[in-house]
Amino acid sequence: MAKSSSLNIRLVEGRALPAKDVSGSSDPYCLVKVDDEVVARTATVWRSLSPFWGEEYTVHLPRDFHHLAFYVLDEDTVGHDDIIGKISLSRDAIVADPRGIDSWINLSRVDPDAEVQGEVRLAVQVQEDVRGRRLRCHVLQARDLAPRDISGTSDPFARVFWGSQSVETSTIKKTRFPHWDEVLELQETPGAPAPLRVELWDWDMVGKNDFLGMVEFSPQALRQKPPDGWFRLLPFPGAQEDAGGSLGALRLKVRLTEDRILPSPYYQPLMRLLVESVLRPSEEDITSPLAILEELTLGDCRQDLATKLVKLFLGQGLAVPFLDYLTRREMARTADPNTLFRSNSLATKSMEQFMKLVGMRYLHEVLKPVISRVFEEKKYMELDPCKMDLGRARRISFKGTPSEEQVRETSLGLLTGYLGPIVDAIVGSVGRCPPTMRLVFKQLHQGVEEYFPQAEHQDVRYLAISCFLFLRFFAPAVLTPKLFDVWDQHADPQTSRSLLLLAKAVQSIGNLGQQLGQGKELWMAPLHPFLLQSISRVRDFLDQLVDMEGDEEVGGPAGALVSPSATVREGYLLKRKEEPAGLATRFAFKKRYFWLSGESLSYSKNTEGQARSCIPVSHICAVERVDEGAFQLPHVMQVVTRDGAGPLHTTYLQCKNLNDLNQWLSALRKASAPNQDKLSACHPGAFRSARWTCCLQTERSAPGCSRTHSAVTLGDWSDPLDPDAEMQTVYRQLLLGRDQLRMKFLEEPNMDPTPEADMGKGASATGGSCPAVGAQQRAAAARLLEVLSELDRAHEEFQLQEQGRSTLSRPRVP
């Protein structure tokens, strides 16, 4: 049985940040750290004290993580970035509310005494002799200590306190991974039993020493179980204090999801019920798992559940009937076709997530060329007279400050110059649209024709598709290309306004011009002729999109969203030469173009290179960051490989920025996840000048001095399908509706008691009994409740097995 743990993080916005620049503003961005690992960096929002990021991350991580931290910094072109403040959330604080954290949180000052990381390895013995009790503290080593010196290292030593006595180890220079292997002895002094405290410090020749962290053990712990092993370093108690809002605040949404994943056979009965759901008449269904989930889930849970369900049915080759089931249920409930698919229902959220999972490559092919032009050219465009800045627009005219009419005409030309290629790319993309997406739209088109056959509703068949493809896919990607990976940075204010105008135009085209000339945005009128001309082309495009033969899902059941041979990430990296003896560091790294698939990491001198070198993914043992001090270069990672029983081989690669590094680390770790012979430790430095730069060991074959982080990955649209984990999420959601289901379908006044009446408890009921329930519906409800109870029993039995109290060698498979 596997265990899964993931953090769902949404970094929404900031407010009232202090000004760090002479202009009276700041250029803020955030770093997200899980324990000692930087897992994400937001884009920089330029010239803002109330930045909006709206960035979401799913971080898969080990279950033993301790804390999550957000650091807000001001980006500076020259010199180091200024630290504004931080927010630190312990694991216990995150799990205190099952719904997670969703609030504004004040930033705290960054206190060096609170900025500790790493672990220390100790072996403690308490002995007695004629002189009394004596404590022997064997200080072996430490790892991943915080860098306190400008060189990116520290000069650590340990100080041990017991009662009124203290003693120190030697100082080891220029390392974050010191090996002391020193035994310190202290004699007990009269008085009450004292705790043992071990502090780590960075020695400084000038000024006071810098604190690196501490561990403390109570007298009871020393007596019952003397410490022996690795211990996480902690800050001084009360080192971090809330700044009372003087440093601003962040609005965060954080939820930790932890679960036990049962073996696949235990989920098969529930999977069969889900499959039966999508194959029955959707309008009459009120007792299937899907009908119950649709009724119960709200808000963020609905989006998460939609993603899991879409992945689940994609893996079964049933995404098309699943989406057809949900959309037809919504059509049956919609009285006014003009409001069809306008709410955030399970149907609309599932369609959104489906398009992202299946169509993200298609989206990039269609939009990226034009969006790249908008970012690179940085043209000033504005049609709204209230927002027009004639001073800023002076650059478009060499005859002094232009008039409003001149700015409007120039902006209109620029907008149509961008919109034209966007519309051309969309209407010419029928052949590039994934076949499964086209089949979903075909089913949607047929459903709308059946439910709304009247002549006055003939546009609904187009609007039903365009409200998803244009309003929920193309237009949001144009507005915020960073959130769809179309561009790797947020737009500056001017470019953001240009993207907003383009997104409004794409949205109007998707609405087939129904609201043109209405509302408050009459200043868009100069663009209307172009939009109306484009609408007829879009109608033809939608007709072609659904004009396909066959109703079966292309490819059938799948184990992954992308095939093992498909490229999941590519781009330029700097690769260190194998044996760069005598070369300066900057000459030892050469630019190469890399392709990563589920089978290999290959590279060549350029994108057209036919002769590619190849690293089999099956040979990868570890993918880790490299300390900046190893080569005096930032954003370097290492790929450690081994061919069979041969020696380890390390390839060093430099990425262009922190986000690029995180994405390559995550992609490589996910690609190599099935590999068996993973390393539990490696060297975060390099072997140079006959020693490791990290721990200073002189043997190339010395064991790694830092833990590996193979379990830390970022979730994205290309993640492999995991049916068991997805089924576990569905099961947890169904538990919330179990009492309601029982009361509605089983607990009728004249019914005989059934075994199901004594099943486990779920969430509080919100529905009452229903005397008109038919025998078929009652039987379906009882069947679902029995399946949930079987899963309850399996979870309880596996939990007892873990605790060593189970009476069975393995729980019964239903």
Side-chain angles (χ1 to χ4, degrees):
M1 183 179 65
K3 295 181 180 180
S4 69
S5 181
S6 61
L7 271 173
N8 300 103
I9 302 167
R10 179 169 167 81
L11 211 165
V12 186
E13 58 186 319
R15 69 181 180 194
L17 300 183
K20 290 291 185 178
D21 299 336
V22 293
S23 62
S25 187
S26 291
D27 305 313
Y29 68 91
C30 285
L31 292 178
V32 184
K33 291 183 70 174
V34 174
D35 290 338
D36 303 333
E37 180 95 346
V38 179
V39 296
R41 180 203 192 274
T42 69
T44 301
V45 179
W46 303 101
R47 299 187 296 279
S48 175
L49 300 180
S50 298
F52 177 83
W53 290 288
E55 299 198 19
E56 296 184 40
Y57 310 98
T58 298
V59 185
H60 306 298
L61 69 173
R63 289 172 68 91
D64 60 349
F65 94 98
H66 297 95
H67 70 274
L68 171 70
F70 300 85
Y71 292 81
V72 183
L73 295 93
D74 166 58
E75 183 167 336
D76 288 332
T77 306
V78 179
H80 292 287
D81 296 344
D82 301 317
I83 298 177
I84 295 175
K86 69 173 283 192
I87 293 170
S88 186
L89 302 173
S90 69
R91 183 183 181 281
D92 293 339
I94 297 171
V95 301
D97 188 337
R99 296 169 298 179
I101 294 171
D102 182 0
S103 63
W104 285 95
I105 303 177
N106 289 336
L107 290 167
S108 301
R109 291 182 176 84
V110 176
D111 183 347
D113 286 345
E115 295 302 296
V116 303
Q117 65 181 54
E119 299 171 302
V120 62
R121 185 180 173 194
L122 305 170
V124 178
Q125 293 179 331
V126 179
Q127 302 172 336
E128 291 193 22
D129 55 24
V130 293
R131 294 180 298 171
R133 298 177 72 221
R134 182 178 58 182
L135 184 142
R136 298 179 77 253
C137 183
H138 190 181
V139 184
L140 289 101
Q141 61 186 109
R143 61 189 179 192
D144 297 304
L145 300 180
R148 291 290 191 240
D149 298 337
I150 195 170
S151 62
T153 63
S154 291
D155 304 319
F157 68 92
R159 184 178 292 156
V160 179
F161 295 86
W162 195 42
S164 60
Q165 301 180 70
S166 68
V167 63
E168 297 179 358
T169 67
S170 59
T171 299
I172 301 181
K173 299 291 188 68
K174 297 182 179 179
T175 180
R176 298 194 304 116
F177 302 84
H179 284 250
W180 290 289
D181 197 13
E182 296 183 23
V183 177
L184 307 179
E185 295 190 357
L186 300 97
Q187 193 74 30
E188 185 179 43
T189 55
L196 169 67
R197 187 171 78 252
V198 180
E199 297 176 358
L200 268 60
W201 293 83
D202 166 54
W203 178 83
D204 285 334
M205 181 179 294
V206 179
K208 67 175 185 176
N209 297 331
D210 300 313
F211 180 66
L212 292 172
M214 60 166 281
V215 292
E216 187 169 85
F217 306 97
S218 67
Q220 183 180 6
L222 293 175
R223 183 174 61 254
Q224 295 178 350
K225 187 179 180 181
D228 186 1
W230 285 99
F231 300 94
R232 179 171 167 262
L233 294 170
L234 300 173
F236 280 128
Q240 180 177 324
E241 295 181 1
D242 190 315
S246 62
L247 297 178
L250 297 183
R251 185 182 170 203
L252 303 172
K253 295 184 180 181
V254 180
R255 188 174 75 256
L256 176 65
T257 304
E258 293 185 315
D259 233 329
R260 292 178 174 85
I261 311 300
L262 299 175
S264 296
Y266 293 89
Y267 295 111
Q268 290 309 307
L270 182 55
M271 187 68 241
R272 284 194 291 271
L273 290 182
L274 287 170
V275 171
E276 290 172 9
S277 297
V278 303
L279 301 179
R280 70 174 65 177
S282 58
E283 302 86 346
E284 305 167 7
D285 181 18
I286 56 175
T287 59
S288 76
L290 285 180
I292 295 167
L293 289 169
E294 186 178 29
E295 182 178 349
L296 291 174
T297 52
L298 300 171
D300 290 342
C301 290
R302 179 171 288 170
Q303 178 166 318
D304 295 341
L305 178 65
T307 304
K308 298 293 186 183
L309 287 171
V310 169
K311 285 189 168 187
L312 197 62
F313 282 99
L314 275 171
Q316 296 292 317
L318 294 172
V320 175
F322 163 66
L323 294 170
D324 187 50
Y325 168 92
L326 291 179
T327 53
R328 284 178 179 270
R329 283 177 63 83
E330 185 147 334
M331 291 179 213
R333 295 193 299 263
T334 303
D336 181 3
N338 292 318
T339 64
L340 184 62
F341 303 131
R342 299 293 169 154
S343 65
N344 287 323
S345 62
L346 185 60
T348 57
K349 286 296 183 184
S350 295
M351 283 288 287
E352 277 186 29
Q353 298 308 308
F354 167 76
M355 290 188 295
K356 289 180 180 178
L357 290 167
V358 174
M360 196 64 82
R361 289 179 179 275
Y362 165 61
L363 177 80
H364 290 177
E365 291 176 5
V366 171
L367 293 183
K368 197 163 188 174
V370 181
I371 298 301
S372 299
R373 278 183 52 207
V374 175
F375 273 88
E376 292 163 359
E377 295 175 1
K378 297 186 181 297
K379 301 287 188 181
Y380 179 78
M381 296 179 284
E382 186 55 75
L383 296 180
D384 185 356
C386 298
K387 296 184 180 296
M388 226 171 255
D389 185 347
L390 300 182
R392 181 176 292 180
R394 180 177 297 178
R395 69 185 66 179
I396 66 176
S397 172
F398 295 100
K399 300 179 180 179
T401 302
S403 64
E404 281 189 10
E405 185 61 30
Q406 288 174 316
V407 173
R408 188 178 297 110
E409 289 180 4
T410 304
S411 299
L412 181 62
L414 291 170
L415 281 170
T416 54
Y418 292 124
L419 277 173
I422 288 177
V423 174
D424 290 344
I426 291 174
V427 300
S429 68
V430 173
R432 288 183 287 173
C433 184
T436 308
M437 277 183 69
R438 294 184 62 185
L439 189 52
V440 166
F441 292 142
K442 178 183 178 180
Q443 296 290 98
L444 183 60
H445 186 271
Q446 292 174 350
V448 171
E449 284 186 328
E450 293 174 15
Y451 279 92
F452 306 102
Q454 299 87 351
E456 65 268 24
H457 296 153
Q458 60 180 340
D459 268 354
V460 178
R461 62 189 180 187
Y462 295 111
L463 288 167
I465 300 172
S466 65
C467 80
F468 289 117
L469 191 58
F470 282 80
L471 275 60
R472 293 177 182 264
F473 198 46
F474 288 137
V478 171
L479 179 63
T480 53
K482 171 70 171 65
L483 303 186
F484 286 78
D485 292 327
V486 178
W487 195 254
D488 60 359
Q489 288 286 334
H490 276 306
D492 58 44
Q494 179 178 312
T495 304
S496 181
R497 179 62 182 172
S498 300
L499 293 172
L500 176 62
L501 294 174
L502 292 171
K504 285 180 179 292
V506 172
Q507 190 173 25
S508 296
I509 294 172
N511 280 322
L512 303 183
Q514 287 192 343
Q515 299 175 2
L516 287 183
Q518 304 175 20
K520 301 178 181 179
E521 297 179 346
L522 299 179
W523 45 266
M524 290 282 287
L527 204 54
H528 289 176
F530 177 87
L531 301 180
L532 292 171
Q533 183 183 4
S534 300
I535 288 168
S536 61
R537 299 177 64 196
V538 168
R539 289 177 192 270
D540 293 339
F541 161 68
L542 296 176
D543 282 333
Q544 295 174 41
L545 199 64
V546 300
D547 183 17
M548 60 182 301
E549 296 182 359
D551 293 326
E552 293 187 3
E553 200 157 332
V554 178
L561 294 174
V562 292
S563 69
S565 60
T567 300
V568 295
R569 185 161 185 82
E570 60 183 290
Y572 278 107
L573 299 172
L574 297 178
K575 178 183 177 295
R576 187 173 186 251
K577 285 189 172 183
E578 300 298 330
E579 294 295 335
L583 287 177
T585 299
R586 67 177 182 274
F587 298 118
F589 284 80
K590 296 297 181 181
K591 190 174 183 179
R592 296 291 182 265
Y593 197 85
F594 281 78
W595 296 264
L596 173 65
S597 70
E599 298 173 343
S600 66
L601 176 65
S602 56
Y603 57 94
S604 181
K605 288 186 176 180
N606 52 55
T607 57
E608 306 299 329
Q610 298 299 318
R612 299 186 184 182
S613 300
C614 179
I615 301 173
V617 165
S618 59
H619 291 179
I620 294 177
C621 302
V623 183
E624 296 295 322
R625 301 170 190 271
V626 175
D627 283 348
E628 189 168 328
F631 302 108
Q632 303 303 315
L633 293 172
H635 317 312
V636 177
M637 66 177 175
Q638 55 179 316
V639 181
V640 184
T641 58
R642 174 184 280 153
D643 185 1
L648 294 175
H649 179 271
T650 304
T651 302
Y652 295 100
L653 306 171
Q654 185 186 20
C655 305
K656 61 183 178 181
N657 54 45
L658 181 58
N659 273 345
D660 194 39
L661 171 63
N662 285 329
Q663 288 160 5
W664 273 106
L665 285 169
S666 182
L668 283 161
R669 286 170 181 171
K670 285 187 283 191
S672 59
N675 296 355
Q676 297 299 317
D677 298 327
K678 295 282 189 63
L679 297 179
S680 60
C682 73
H683 291 281
F687 194 79
R688 304 180 65 192
S689 302
R691 68 177 186 176
W692 287 101
T693 59
C694 45
C695 58
L696 311 182
Q697 299 296 299
T698 56
E699 294 291 332
R700 183 185 286 270
S701 59
C705 56
S706 178
R707 288 194 299 175
T708 55
H709 302 81
S710 59
V712 181
T713 60
L714 294 173
D716 60 28
W717 61 270
S718 64
D719 279 356
L721 301 178
D722 189 348
D724 295 339
E726 289 140 17
M727 284 300 301
Q728 178 65 18
T729 300
V730 173
Y731 157 68
R732 290 296 183 196
Q733 285 293 326
L734 286 170
L735 289 185
L736 300 177
R738 177 160 52 185
D739 282 356
Q740 180 177 342
L741 182 68
R742 184 185 299 114
M743 293 181 65
K744 188 171 184 179
F745 294 103
L746 299 181
E747 295 180 0
E748 296 189 17
N750 298 322
M751 280 188 63
D752 294 331
T754 63
E756 287 77 12
D758 296 324
M759 291 179 185
K761 296 180 180 179
S764 60
T766 58
S769 62
C770 182
V773 173
Q776 187 176 2
Q777 293 171 336
R778 188 177 298 119
R783 185 181 172 196
L784 174 58
L785 288 169
E786 178 59 29
V787 168
L788 295 180
S789 293
E790 288 286 352
L791 284 169
D792 285 347
R793 287 191 282 270
H795 274 284
E796 290 171 3
E797 193 63 41
F798 271 109
Q799 187 172 5
L800 290 174
Q801 271 191 349
E802 289 180 355
Q803 297 170 355
R805 294 188 286 128
S806 175
T807 58
L808 300 178
S809 60
R810 180 173 180 176
R812 179 176 65 87
V813 177

